[in-house]
């Protein structure tokens, strides 16, 4: 994604959809642990995780939340959106190698405040729902098409 | 935090509190961008951010969500908790150098399923609320006191 482009409030219609996918690696789990401070061994230690009900390492639940927020910020409405509310219900574990897809659907537009409500359905590569929720954002009023900043390289270990 | 310790469902009472703090650095913003894919310049580019309503770089809203999830996973109930639901309302921007504190309060216990409901109030170093919400988790039934895994070093750039 070299360019970031948004949909303005006026360009958005009820029922509009977008999706965003990401595959989780062990690297993502380590980075999420670093950024949150949550170093629980069910995420980080394969041996410990093997003894839990999950049988193997699982992603932090809120990693899925991070991907939902990225879907809103990158696709619908995209840059310039202001995040107001998110609720998320975690339904199934996400494991290393899983590809999750956030499916966004606009369900409500509130003209006076430029609020959007979006249904968020997050599925894995087997189309199993791993999380469900609703987001509310203020949609941008100005069209934006900007180059995506490049991240510096990140080395682990 | 060298040891992770939990409270079991039976040890937890209504009104019990815990708190967890983290200071955000530019490094955290870069790591959150990497782990989520959200490379919006309002987070990453000081020059771009200066031209927005926020006037300077802001943390991703869901970084605060990550810190809430860490508070639950590390302090109350701690290791062994299973995350069911989270809602979050984002109230004020979080900027580089801000220290946010997640204040958790148990508001409900449901005996049959070992569900806990916790009120989440997230404030900055000026005691201004930056986010508010409610979490629901399954509390652990077994006491756990385990060494905290150490993360490998992470180098940026």
């Amino acid at each position: 994604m070299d360019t970031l482009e948004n949909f303005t409030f006026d360009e958005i219609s009820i029922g509009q959809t977008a999706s965003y996918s990401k595959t989780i690696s062990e690297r993502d789990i380590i980075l999420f642990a670093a950024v949150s401070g949550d170093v629980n061994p069910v995420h980080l230690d394969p041996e410990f995780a093997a003894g839990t009900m999950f049988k193997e390492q699982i992603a932090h639940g809120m990693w899925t939340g991070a991907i939902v927020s990225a879907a809103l910020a990158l696709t619908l409405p995209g840059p310039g959106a202001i995040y107001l509310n998110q609720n998320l219900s975690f339904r199934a574990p996400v494991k290393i190698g899983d590809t999750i897809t956030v499916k966004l659907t606009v369900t409500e537009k509130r003209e006076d405040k430029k609020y959007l409500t979006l249904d968020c359905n997050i599925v894995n590569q087997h189309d199993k729902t791993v999380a469900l929720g609703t987001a509310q954002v203020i949609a941008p009023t100005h069209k934006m098409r900007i180059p995506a900043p490049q991240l510096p390289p990140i080395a682990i270990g």
Side-chain angles (χ1 to χ4, degrees), chain A residues 64-123:
Chain A
T64 301
I67 305 308
V68 171
S69 76
L72 296 161
L74 295 172
T75 68
L76 182 63
I82 295 173
Y83 215 172
L84 295 178
N85 292 291
Q86 180 72 55
N87 67 55
L88 274 177
S89 169
F90 303 105
R91 299 301 177 93
V94 174
K95 297 179 174 180
I96 294 171
D98 281 357
T99 298
I100 71 163
T101 299
V102 179
K103 298 178 177 180
L104 301 175
T105 307
V106 178
T107 57
E108 212 182 317
K109 286 182 73 178
R110 183 175 152 177
E111 196 71 38
D112 60 339
K113 300 202 172 231
K114 312 299 178 199
Y115 286 179
L116 291 184
T117 305
L118 299 103
D119 179 75
C120 312
N121 183 22
I122 305 99
V123 299

